[in-house]
Structures are given as structure tokens and as C-alpha cells.
Amino acid sequence: MTVPDAKVPAGDIGEKWTNHKFSMKLVNPNNKRKFEVIVVGTGLAGAAAAATMSELGYKVKVFTFHDSPRRAHSIAAQGGINGAKNYQNDGDSIYRLFYDTVKGGDYRSREANVHRLAEASVDIIDQATAQGVPFAREYGGLLDNRSFGGAQVSRTFYARGQTGQQLLLGAYQALARQIAVGNVELFTRSEMLDLVIKDGEAAGIVTRDLLTGEVQAHSGHAVVLATGGYGNVYYLSTNAMACNVTAAWRAHRKGAYFANPCYTQIHPTCIPASDEFQSKLTLMSESLRNDGRIWVPRDLDENRAASQIAEDERYYYLEEKYPAFGNLVPRDVASRNAKTVVDQGRGVGPLKNGVYLDLTEAIGRDGIETITEKYGNLFDMYERITGENPYERPMRIYPATHYTMGGLWVDYNLMTSIPGCYAIGEANFSDHGANRLGASALMQGLADGYFVLPYTIGDQLAAKLGTDPVSTSDPVFAESIAGIEDESKRWLSNKGTKSVDWYHRELGKLVWDYIGMERDSAGLEKAITEIPTLKSEFEKDVNVPGSGDNLNSSLEKVGRVADFFELAELMARDALAREESCGGHFRTEHQTEEGEAKRDDDNFRHVAAWEWTGPDSTQTRHKEELEFENVALTQRSYK
């Protein structure tokens, strides 16, 4: 079965976006004031979209479950943001960024979306610089660049190791300006728990005030979901512990297709877990791979300190296997190779569960002062967490769940399969295929928020001119509110023996073991059996203390974990149905003789978009066929 029209424009790849903007319906400036738009999420995508649309004249309501938009998880991004400026004069271009992204995604992304992203990248850098984002600069005063995985050019703009924080502050100040002048109404500590549909179109949302417990209805002409990814389904991930899938999943349950849920990214440079009861993993920026060399001892079960292991006793496995890209191979390749050497018994650290990321050579070459300028805050963070000084001994790293390429299916206008409901940033599936290149998440979030959605949303709204949003007194809102209140009462009546976190951890183990870095049919079938069994126990035996009339973190978590259970089962079904390896989806049955991902372009050159068919039935799998007219389908090689 096929998905709805993706609305990809005809014509040359370099002209599609320009022509599409001209062909879309417009809303004139005075009429924009007559439309109300709801934005859920205040990370880079949500803050940028809310600020830009309100600047254009739309009335915007923006929601965050944080106490401030500045707490959004975008603030944790470290290494940088890609932009095809070619400041280094090393051969970069919009087309090369487009090519690298399609290739890096293992040819499972929509070409038109990726090229538009590459086009917008150059404007994003100008926009952020004009906002005062303190990008690093080289000695002549121009913005500096560094390289990132999956590319052989330097196109990544950065602000030390805190690029996400600085970019979010730029978007936040633009949003704050609109709040101050009254064009944006901000709702903090409010969690979206349902998408409301009227006559087949998005009519608004229902939220719960996390401080008072009050369930509220909000209506609008359009709803924009900018709520991030679902990496916390693994329990241990680099995501903030509050990150979840609930807003996107509740939209899925109302009819929005969920695309490619099995495409999850395992980031290669994270601090290894130190014990079984750890609740979060910490990312060390991929930018460290620019100057750091990754290695393990050649001998199995080596116990000497790194400094005592001679150069010829070190296995620089990425440099040896992939000489052209070396330590800058894409994330999925770097992660799988780290797992391989650790599984062989070459792991380092107290639990033998890491590899070395060694900057000793770079410090000797460039000096401590230069390395501190680039990475000082990362080094400080690593030392605070591990108690080890990375200036004196190599960092220990190991892959961890980080980003999700799957998400709500959207067309070229970023609208989901529900008219009037949009998904932007990591909440959608659109730009990264089966693997995201480093420094492209910030790029996509800001491209969607600043430069894409503000254009495309008018195409849908123009036809609604002269109509009011659906009243919150309409029965569709009353029905939704009643459903949410009943759900809360049901969970609060559970006085079982185990906490929400216990079940989340157990689910995470299942997902990591069977739908992690490597998958096979036996493990996926086991997951499809064991996840519903654990879910049934969770629904009967989870303990949710407290009441729904005040701040109750257990009540917040239980709904999110319930959604993770349903998502996890779909992830397993999606991975089982995709009988190939591509990017972050690695099926052990489908690999080359050299252990690389082996695609099946004849049968799986498509997006898998799943349609909700009810709580007691399996979703229906639809296909969006992908066409590659500009980048030839080839076996990825980074050698």
C-alpha cells in the first residue's frame, strides 16, 4: 500500500524548492493575523518556527513541558552545525553537502528534501551569526570550520563544544521578543497528551499542566509538533531523561503515519556505562574525532595503562580499515566497529566496555592551549564524570543511543498524513535516511523552523481564510479531555509492586538487546513476543503513587513509558519487515563479506510508513517509493 502524495515538486533538483515556493498558495501579511497556530516543543525547530511565524504575523501558542524554552534538549548538542559555505575553499558546495547526506543516509532519504536542506544551510549560518551566535573564528576574523564524520571537507560551524546551547539561545531570544510584544503566548510546564481531530483535520491539542494537574484544551488552525526523537525507548541514551515519544505517538494513534521507526542512531563517542543502575549516558562530541585517534590494544584482555602500550601494540582499527576517511567515517560505521573490537575482548576500562579516543598526538602537535580552545569544556565535563584527566590519558568511549532518524511521516511541506498537523526537526523522518551525519541535526531543526515551515504552512492555511478555529467547547475536545482524565485515574489506581523506572529499564534492555546496534530475525521475533508480555505486567503491577492534582513525576512517566512499549513493538516489526541492512539498521543476515551493511535496493528502496489501526491490532505498513535521479545507488564505501 502506498502513502499519501508526498508533494515532491517536479523539475531539476536545484530548482524544486524555488519553484515550489512560487507555486504554493500565499497568505498576505494582514490575513496572517487571522490564523492561530499551535507549536508543541521549544527546541531549535519549535522555537525557530514559533518565532518566525509570529514575526510574519501569525498568532502562535507555544508549549513546553520545561519551566523555560531554554531547557529544551537542543541545548545539549555539542559539536557543530553543517553549512555549505566553502569558507575553507576545500571543494565544498550545496551539491556536495546534498550528496554526502544522501550517501551518509545509505540512500534511504528523499532526495528533494535533502537538497532543500543543503540549500537552507547557507542561510542558517547567516541567520545565526546575525543573532549573535558566537561561532568560532579563525585568525583573519572569518568563521572557522571543522570536519565531521561522513565528509572529507570542513563545513561544520561550531562554538567550542556548546553549539546547540548557543544556537538555542539565538532562537530563544527571537522567540522571547515575540512573547514580549504579544504575538506569542507561551505555556510552560504543559505536556501535550492528545491531538484533537475534527472532520479529519487537526483542530488542536489537549495538555496537562504538570504543576496543577489541570487538563486543558487548545484549538488552532494548525498544529506543529517539534517534540524531538524517541531515543529514550532504550532507557539508557544520551537524551535528557524527560525526552519521550508521547506527542508524536498520540498523533500516530489519531492517524499520523509513523515512518521508519527502526532507524535509530547509535553515537560512537559516548562515555561507557559504569554500572547497571545508571540512568543516563553522556555524549562526548563527535568533533573530538577530528583530532582524536581511536584505538584498542592489539592483545586480548590487555590490562596495562594506555601510556604503557607501545605504538605497534595499538590497533587503530578505523584508520586501518577505512584509510580514506579514517576516524571520520559515519556514525553507524564507527559504532559497529567499536562493538566488534570490544566483543573480541579488546575493550578498555574497568568493565572492558570501551575504546580509547586519544588526543595525545594532537596536544603534542598543536599544544594544550589550542586543544583547550577547541574542546576545553568537553575535557572538563569528561573529567567531572569519570575522574580521569583527558589531557594526560586517553578518553574512554563506547556507542550509545543518540538520535532517531525515524519519526512521523511528512510530505514535502512537512505536513503529516493528518491535514493541518505538521512535524518538524527530529520529530519527523524526512531528511536523514537510515543514518544521520554528524552536525546535521541542528541544521535540520533550524532549516525546518526558520526557512521551510513558515513558507509551506500557508499553502494549507490559505483555504481556511475566514474560518475560526474549532471551539474548545466542541464535543471532540470534551471527548479528548475525558479520555485523558480517565487514563490518569486508571494509572493512579495502580498500586503495584514495581516503579515506572523499573519497567522502563527492563524495556530498555529488551530494545537494546534485540533492536540495538545489530538485529537478526530470531531476536526481533523474540522482542515481538517479550515486549507485549512485559507490557501486560507493567499495566497490572506498576506503582503510581500520589495524585493527579499536583506535580507528580510518576504520573508523567507512566504515560510516556506506556507509549514507549507500543513504539518498541513497532520498532521490532519494522526492523523485521526490512530484510536488508542500511545505515543504523544492521541485520546480521544482510552484510557484505567485509561486514558492511548490504542493502536490497530492488525490494526496500522505500520509506516504511505505518498506519495505526487500533490498540489491539498490528499497524498497516505503507510504502513511499524513493527515486534517485541525482545520486547513483552504490554500495557505500569509506575506504
Side-chain angles (χ1 to χ4, degrees):
M1 301 177 70
T2 57
V3 297
D5 181 13
K7 298 180 182 175
V8 175
D12 180 78
I13 190 72
E15 299 175 357
K16 286 181 185 290
W17 178 227
T18 299
N19 293 340
H20 189 63
K21 286 188 288 186
F22 183 77
S23 66
M24 284 188 297
K25 298 172 185 175
L26 296 178
V27 179
N28 81 47
N30 286 327
N31 286 337
K32 285 185 174 75
R33 299 186 180 96
K34 302 174 183 177
F35 290 109
E36 298 180 19
V37 180
I38 291 172
V39 178
V40 185
T42 59
L44 285 180
T52 305
M53 287 190 294
S54 57
E55 285 274 7
L56 292 171
Y58 294 111
K59 294 180 180 177
V60 178
K61 290 181 179 179
V62 64
F63 296 81
T64 175
F65 59 51
H66 296 293
D67 54 0
S68 165
R70 292 175 295 174
R71 294 287 297 274
H73 187 58
S74 297
I75 204 168
Q78 298 170 348
I81 177 171
N82 287 329
K85 288 286 197 180
N86 195 31
Y87 282 172
Q88 303 299 319
N89 196 29
D90 56 1
D92 200 12
S93 64
I94 287 173
Y95 189 87
R96 186 176 292 277
L97 175 53
F98 158 67
Y99 174 86
D100 286 346
T101 305
V102 172
K103 177 184 175 183
D106 217 351
Y107 306 92
R108 289 296 177 261
S109 52
R110 202 188 275 155
E111 277 195 340
N113 286 66
V114 177
H115 197 278
R116 176 175 66 187
L117 177 65
E119 292 177 60
S121 72
V122 296
D123 296 324
I124 293 169
I125 305 305
D126 294 340
Q127 168 89 358
T129 304
Q131 288 176 331
V133 173
F135 286 125
R137 294 178 182 267
E138 48 87 28
Y139 70 96
L142 295 177
L143 300 185
D144 198 10
N145 295 119
R146 55 190 178 200
S147 53
F148 251 67
Q152 290 178 301
V153 297
S154 295
R155 64 163 67 101
T156 304
F157 296 79
Y158 64 98
R160 297 185 72 188
Q162 49 189 248
T163 313
Q165 178 182 12
Q166 299 303 326
L167 288 169
L168 184 60
L169 289 174
Y172 170 71
Q173 69 183 9
L175 175 62
R177 176 177 179 273
Q178 293 302 307
I179 295 170
V181 299
N183 295 338
V184 172
E185 187 176 3
L186 172 66
F187 295 82
T188 59
R189 303 297 286 161
S190 295
E191 181 169 27
M192 172 185 159
L193 293 179
D194 200 14
L195 178 70
V196 180
I197 307 295
K198 173 78 170 180
D199 298 329
E201 297 190 10
I205 62 173
V206 169
T207 64
R208 179 177 181 270
D209 187 306
L210 298 182
L211 297 179
T212 67
E214 182 182 2
V215 178
Q216 301 172 325
H218 304 272
S219 67
H221 291 95
V223 175
V224 180
L225 302 181
T227 49
Y230 49 88
N232 273 352
V233 68
Y234 290 88
Y235 185 71
L236 279 180
S237 84
T238 67
N239 288 209
M241 291 176 66
C243 292
N244 61 82
V245 76
T246 288
W249 194 255
R250 302 296 170 94
H252 173 56
R253 289 174 65 105
K254 285 299 182 73
Y257 291 1
F258 208 100
N260 300 333
C262 76
Y263 289 168
T264 55
Q265 182 166 82
I266 312 298
H267 196 293
T269 56
C270 303
I271 299 177
S274 58
D275 64 56
E276 185 179 350
F277 300 101
Q278 194 165 330
S279 57
K280 187 186 182 305
L281 295 174
T282 302
L283 171 71
M284 298 308 299
S285 170
E286 184 179 356
S287 63
L288 293 163
R289 290 203 276 154
N290 281 295
D291 291 299
R293 301 183 69 192
I294 297 172
W295 63 277
V296 290
R298 289 194 181 274
D299 290 341
L300 301 180
D301 299 319
E302 172 67 72
N303 291 312
R304 289 177 295 171
S307 60
Q308 297 176 340
I309 300 174
E311 190 71 15
D312 61 357
E313 296 178 287
R314 301 180 178 188
Y315 180 24
Y316 295 94
Y317 55 91
L318 293 178
E319 297 175 29
E320 291 187 24
K321 292 181 69 174
Y322 309 98
F325 280 73
N327 296 302
L328 292 177
V329 293
R331 290 175 173 177
D332 60 314
V333 177
S335 293
R336 282 198 300 275
N337 278 273
K339 181 180 188 300
T340 297
V341 295
V342 170
D343 289 349
Q344 290 170 347
R346 293 186 169 88
V348 302
L351 301 181
K352 301 292 186 182
N353 62 345
V355 301
Y356 286 129
L357 176 59
D358 192 345
L359 284 92
T360 304
E361 184 177 304
I363 291 172
R365 181 188 65 234
D366 300 332
I368 286 182
E369 185 176 333
T370 298
I371 296 301
T372 301
E373 273 187 26
K374 289 182 177 180
Y375 311 117
N377 64 309
L378 298 173
F379 279 40
D380 292 344
M381 180 173 69
Y382 180 87
E383 184 171 10
R384 284 196 299 271
I385 292 171
T386 66
E388 300 172 6
N389 185 343
Y391 292 101
E392 299 175 356
R393 55 197 295 189
M395 291 183 179
R396 291 178 293 108
I397 59 169
Y398 192 68
T401 305
H402 178 59
Y403 189 87
T404 53
M405 287 74 67
L408 292 176
W409 180 90
V410 292
D411 63 18
Y412 190 69
N413 289 341
L414 304 183
M415 188 166 71
T416 70
S417 51
I418 300 174
C421 177
Y422 296 79
I424 60 176
E426 193 180 356
N428 72 33
F429 87 102
S430 66
D431 291 5
H432 306 297
N435 175 62
R436 176 177 69 83
L437 292 184
S440 287
L442 304 183
M443 177 174 62
Q444 187 212 346
L446 291 180
D448 287 355
Y450 282 139
F451 298 109
V452 180
L453 183 71
Y455 278 111
T456 61
I457 199 169
D459 195 53
Q460 172 75 8
L461 292 178
K464 295 179 177 291
L465 186 62
T467 65
D468 294 326
V470 177
S471 171
T472 54
S473 62
D474 189 282
V476 292
F477 283 97
E479 181 182 347
S480 178
I481 290 173
I484 296 302
E485 291 177 339
D486 288 345
E487 179 187 13
S488 295
K489 290 175 183 176
R490 176 169 58 85
W491 288 124
L492 289 167
S493 69
N494 267 45
K495 302 302 177 186
T497 63
K498 297 184 179 71
S499 69
V500 180
D501 286 336
W502 188 92
Y503 280 105
H504 191 183
R505 184 184 292 112
E506 292 302 304
L507 173 64
K509 290 176 183 177
L510 284 176
V511 180
W512 178 256
D513 288 344
Y514 301 125
I515 327 172
M517 269 193 280
E518 292 184 354
R519 300 97 184 258
D520 60 39
S521 60
L524 292 169
E525 287 169 355
K526 190 171 184 179
I528 291 170
T529 300
E530 292 192 8
I531 290 170
T533 300
L534 184 63
K535 177 188 174 190
S536 179
E537 180 189 330
F538 160 76
E539 291 175 340
K540 296 173 184 175
D541 198 37
V542 68
N543 181 31
V544 185
S547 76
D549 301 327
N550 50 31
L551 181 65
N552 187 338
S553 61
S554 292
L555 180 59
E556 294 173 35
K557 290 177 184 178
V558 74
R560 297 169 187 172
V561 174
D563 293 334
F564 277 143
F565 269 104
E566 293 182 345
L567 167 68
E569 187 175 348
L570 182 61
M571 288 171 63
R573 294 188 183 281
D574 187 46
L576 184 62
R578 187 167 286 278
E579 288 277 1
E580 66 165 353
S581 291
C582 55
H585 168 63
F586 191 80
R587 289 281 297 269
T588 57
E589 307 97 325
H590 304 289
Q591 54 184 304
T592 67
E593 292 181 358
E594 297 177 321
E596 305 295 342
K598 185 177 181 181
R599 298 193 319 271
D600 180 353
D601 294 330
D602 292 336
N603 296 302
F604 292 97
R605 190 181 63 190
H606 60 251
V607 175
W610 296 81
E611 178 185 8
W612 179 263
T613 53
D616 300 318
S617 58
T618 303
Q619 287 100 321
T620 300
R621 188 179 191 269
H622 299 275
K623 292 191 285 188
E624 178 196 343
E625 298 294 340
L626 295 171
E627 300 297 330
F628 293 89
E629 301 172 347
N630 300 276
V631 181
L633 288 163
T634 59
Q635 173 66 37
R636 277 196 312 171
S637 175
Y638 293 95
K639 296 183 177 182

